Amino acid sequence: MSLRPILETRAAQPTMEGAGVHLHRAFGFQDPSELDPFLLFDDFRNDHPELYAQGFPWHPHRGIETITYVLAGSVEHGDSLGNTGQLGAGDVQWMTAGSGILHQEMPTGNINGQMHGFQLWGNLPGSQKMCAPRYQDVQGKEIPEVTDDDGTRVKVIVGEFWGKRGPVDGIAADPQYLDIAVPAGIRKTFRIDTYRRAFAYVFEGQAAFADASAPQGVLLEKEVAGQEVNIRDMSGDRTLVRFGTGDEITVQAGPEGVRFLLISGAPIQEPVAWHGPIVMNTQAELQKAFAELRNGTFIKPAH
């Protein structure tokens, strides 16, 4: 087994999207090869309805997939195909924009006004960018959860882990999307396929992630996989940890425990032409998409 080195640890940055939704962006609109096949990750969390209630009014997407995972509050959605619905706490929606879709997402807080969720953008390979759009809406009760003997809990949203398979399937990036909670003081190792790009996003508590390549840091009390490894300083709320190549990560939960997302996917390794909500392979394809938006031919008839 080989421990993945930590390439980078960084805080999600505050920004605004939609009609004035205040959120934190862990990555996006920078180097698309950095976490290929993933393009963007947003943490939309707020206790003040005036900072999110205007939502994300009608806007287009083409050439990508989006996964929305709601932890608190709800998100009402509608689209150009006539689909409508509501995502509640614990629910997940995977939208494949494919050839093109217009949709809106309008968040509502819970009884205390709290809204919390995540949105991840996954790229589509060139061969699938013009596929028919589709949705997968999954209720929280359908998402399997596994609890280990030490109290570690893992929700398997996408992919397979610890003998359970998540309910979302048929995704181009073939991702693994896990919601992991590790109790206070517990050290835990998680396997990740060697050929996947991977990142962790801490959103509750604190943890230290073992780093196989950093000379600095506090050594773990015992060796991992026969190697002497280092642990970086504790990563707290809204922290992105980007990993290099290897087949496992080790995390040491802080004094209040930690909850984080562990997400990985197979890189597509294709050229990216990206502007706003549309991601294609070439500038010509991108220009054609925006021309179709202007002339009313963006939405393709169902095959």
Side-chain angles (χ1 to χ4, degrees):
M1 298 296 167
S2 61
L3 191 70
R4 285 180 175 247
I6 295 174
L7 299 181
E8 181 184 17
T9 301
R10 68 174 181 241
Q13 296 301 303
T15 188
M16 278 200 300
E17 278 294 347
V21 177
H22 293 243
L23 50 80
H24 283 73
R25 178 159 293 153
F27 63 88
F29 297 106
Q30 293 170 325
D31 179 1
S33 67
E34 183 178 78
L35 279 164
D36 178 20
F38 306 116
L39 298 164
L40 175 145
F41 182 84
D42 282 345
D43 178 346
F44 52 97
R45 181 189 335 181
N46 215 297
D47 295 342
H48 305 287
E50 67 273 15
L51 300 181
Y52 61 76
Q54 297 304 308
F56 307 91
W58 293 98
H59 59 280
H61 285 293
R62 176 179 285 181
I64 64 169
E65 300 183 279
T66 66
I67 183 169
T68 305
Y69 178 29
V70 177
L71 294 183
S74 62
V75 177
E76 290 188 16
H77 65 89
D79 69 26
S80 52
L81 304 176
N83 296 311
T84 58
Q86 179 171 289
L87 299 176
D91 296 348
V92 173
Q93 179 191 83
W94 198 294
M95 182 199 71
T96 303
S99 62
I101 202 165
L102 295 169
H103 77 157
Q104 65 173 351
E105 300 158 299
M106 306 303 288
T108 303
N110 61 18
I111 193 169
N112 298 315
Q114 297 165 330
M115 177 70 221
H116 190 191
F118 306 106
Q119 188 166 91
L120 174 70
W121 290 14
N123 200 5
L124 280 169
S127 61
Q128 297 184 40
K129 283 192 179 293
M130 296 301 288
C131 69
R134 69 169 183 147
Y135 279 91
Q136 295 181 69
D137 283 348
V138 177
Q139 292 188 331
K141 63 184 180 183
E142 300 174 45
I143 297 171
E145 182 173 311
V146 193
T147 303
D148 207 3
D149 293 341
D150 59 12
T152 297
R153 292 182 293 106
V154 180
K155 290 184 178 181
V156 186
I157 295 168
V158 187
E160 190 169 352
F161 191 76
W162 285 355
K164 298 290 186 179
R165 175 165 286 279
V168 181
D169 62 7
I171 306 305
D174 187 28
Q176 186 180 61
Y177 190 127
L178 309 174
D179 177 350
I180 298 175
V182 182
I186 296 294
R187 181 181 303 129
K188 201 74 178 172
T189 296
F190 301 95
R191 295 288 309 278
I192 303 175
D193 186 285
T194 306
Y195 301 103
R196 293 168 178 265
R197 299 270 170 78
F199 69 92
Y201 183 75
V202 178
F203 63 95
E204 283 182 18
Q206 286 186 315
F209 291 85
D211 183 6
S213 62
Q216 74 273 25
V218 180
L219 288 176
L220 285 167
E221 294 173 4
K222 57 184 178 181
E223 294 182 349
V224 176
Q227 305 173 51
E228 217 178 46
V229 296
N230 293 284
I231 256 191
R232 288 270 178 97
D233 293 335
M234 285 278 179
S235 295
D237 187 21
R238 293 194 177 105
T239 300
L240 173 78
V241 182
R242 188 163 62 93
F243 299 104
T245 303
D247 51 22
E248 62 184 24
I249 69 159
T250 293
V251 60
Q252 171 75 50
E256 297 177 356
V258 68
R259 190 173 175 191
F260 63 98
L261 303 179
L262 181 59
I263 299 175
S264 61
I268 295 172
Q269 297 179 315
E270 292 181 355
V272 173
W274 181 5
H275 184 75
I278 298 175
V279 184
M280 304 303 289
N281 289 113
T282 68
Q283 287 298 317
E285 292 170 340
L286 197 59
Q287 290 165 8
K288 180 181 180 183
F290 280 98
E292 290 179 348
L293 261 178
R294 290 191 296 270
N295 67 26
T297 61
F298 184 78
I299 304 301
K300 304 303 178 187
H303 300 300

